[in-house]
Amino acid sequence: MQIPMESLRLAVGLLPKAIFDYIALGAIGAPLIAVLLELTGKASKKIFYDKLAQQIASMSLILFAVFIIATGGTLAYVAHTWKWTLDWLKNPESPMMIVYASLIISAVFLIAYKYSWKKLKKQKAFHILLGIIAVLGGVSFIHSGTMTMRLVFGLVGSNPEPTVPDIPVLDHLLVVPGPTVMALGALYVIMAFTFAGSAGGLYLVLRRNKDNFGRDYYKFALPVISRWGLFPMIVQLISIGWLLSYFVTPSLDTLMQNTGMLVTIGGAAVLNIICCAIWAVAWKSATPMRHKIGLAAAPILVILAHSLIMAGAFSIFVKL
């Protein structure tokens, strides 16, 4: 089989976007994992769940800060390169206003959630509510961001420099997306869990000497966070497989001859399966910290796999 260098070069070119996606979705998924861990700790009365939730909340703030910086840089580049996008970025009627509002709500409540942990120790319900609002802001960001990109790309097809439609800004958010967009949105939510879970394993390993919560804690926490990488990844693999089969079935014979698609999608599957193996071993291990190299490498493998999947998807749609 001839090596599909064009597809591999595309995957390398997509690495910055893969890293950006990883940070963005990880920043959205981490608060949700933290809230679920806190709820589990409250129900089970196990302090380690609460401690792990607090660590994941701290990680989510770091991811969120990096994401905001990266987003600001990206928007500045877009506005400089394509002048017509300034209208979309600044117009009060633009759906970008909803994207901004979602980010602000998520950031404000995430900060409140993280830094009120001790003060609201005896008011867990209210504290968890802060986390839930931060999560809803993140989910709103996924929806509004997806709908905005869909709108812009749809308008670009008929006008290379589209202006913001003259309709109330909330109408953009209330549009019910089609099944394809809904499926992609659901996939983003699954990926948010996977990315946050994989980042959590790395974060715990890096913070081991700094926090030093004791051997028993890490024997508990690393298997828990490994499951948050493993099970969403299994669902993600199934979902991507289903989506690909949905799109390629009408042109299966043609696509099976597309070596670029086969190598990139196959390579992504292999990398993700390796991640599953790392998390499964750490989950079942009596000494999970011995697998810290694998846990630290998993985010890199996840990002590489995401880049390969995007390159493979491009190969598919070019051939359809």
Side-chain angles (χ1 to χ4, degrees), residues 216-238:
D216 288 342
Y217 170 74
Y218 290 98
K219 186 177 178 180
F220 166 86
L222 285 174
V224 170
I225 204 64
S226 294
R227 293 198 293 272
W228 278 108
L230 174 61
F231 291 114
M233 176 61 82
I234 293 173
V235 177
Q236 179 181 322
L237 286 169
I238 295 170

Side-chain angles (χ1 to χ4, degrees), residues 42-311:
K42 187 176 185 300
S44 65
K45 302 188 184 304
K46 291 184 178 179
I47 189 64
F48 281 170
Y49 277 112
D50 197 76
K51 197 177 290 292
L52 178 56
Q54 191 169 0
Q55 279 197 295
I56 299 302
S58 298
M59 180 192 76
S60 67
L61 269 182
I62 295 172
L63 289 173
F64 210 102
V66 175
F67 168 61
I68 293 294
I69 294 170
T71 299
T74 301
L75 293 179
Y77 172 80
V78 168
H80 177 75
T81 307
W82 297 284
K83 301 297 184 184
W84 60 269
T85 60
L86 279 171
D87 182 43
W88 288 84
L89 296 176
K90 297 175 14 178
N91 191 326
E93 297 299 320
S94 169
M96 285 300 295
M97 298 302 113
I98 303 173
V99 177
Y100 299 151
S102 300
L103 283 176
I104 292 170
I105 290 170
S106 189
V108 168
F109 280 90
L110 181 57
I111 292 170
Y113 178 66
K114 168 64 180 72
Y115 289 104
S116 64
W117 211 287
K118 292 182 179 179
K119 291 181 180 179
L120 297 177
K121 187 175 182 180
K122 297 186 181 301
Q123 298 172 282
K124 278 292 185 183
F126 181 65
H127 184 253
I128 289 169
L129 178 61
L130 296 177
I132 291 173
I133 296 174
V135 169
L136 291 176
V139 173
S140 175
F141 168 79
I142 292 178
H143 175 62
S144 58
T146 301
M147 295 305 296
T148 301
M149 288 189 292
R150 174 178 173 271
L151 177 62
V152 172
F153 292 151
L155 293 173
V156 166
S158 56
N159 180 1
E161 296 185 1
T163 58
V164 176
D166 187 19
I167 60 175
V169 66
L170 283 178
D171 286 7
H172 297 292
L173 186 63
L174 297 176
V175 172
V176 178
T180 301
V181 177
M182 289 285 283
L184 289 174
L187 180 58
Y188 290 157
V189 174
I190 296 167
M191 290 166 66
F193 275 114
T194 305
F195 293 175
S198 66
L202 173 60
Y203 184 78
L204 262 64
V205 168
L206 293 177
R207 296 289 300 184
R208 171 66 176 88
N209 293 328
K210 181 73 174 179
D211 294 331
N212 194 21
F213 292 139
R215 183 179 300 178
D216 288 342
Y217 170 74
Y218 290 98
K219 186 177 178 180
F220 166 86
L222 285 174
V224 170
I225 204 64
S226 294
R227 293 198 293 272
W228 278 108
L230 174 61
F231 291 114
M233 176 61 82
I234 293 173
V235 177
Q236 179 181 322
L237 286 169
I238 295 170
S239 301
I240 291 174
W242 179 85
L243 281 172
L244 290 176
S245 66
Y246 174 80
F247 285 115
V248 308
T249 298
S251 308
L252 185 59
D253 292 338
T254 302
L255 288 168
M256 288 305 292
Q257 300 172 16
N258 182 350
T259 55
M261 182 272 291
L262 293 175
V263 169
T264 51
I265 296 295
V270 169
L271 292 177
N272 283 334
I273 290 171
I274 291 173
C275 288
C276 287
I278 290 171
W279 292 321
V281 170
W283 170 25
K284 292 297 184 180
S285 175
T287 53
M289 190 54 75
R290 290 185 179 179
H291 305 286
K292 58 186 177 183
I293 294 177
L295 291 170
I300 299 173
L301 300 181
V302 169
I303 291 170
L304 291 174
H306 184 52
S307 179
L308 287 169
I309 288 172
M310 289 191 291

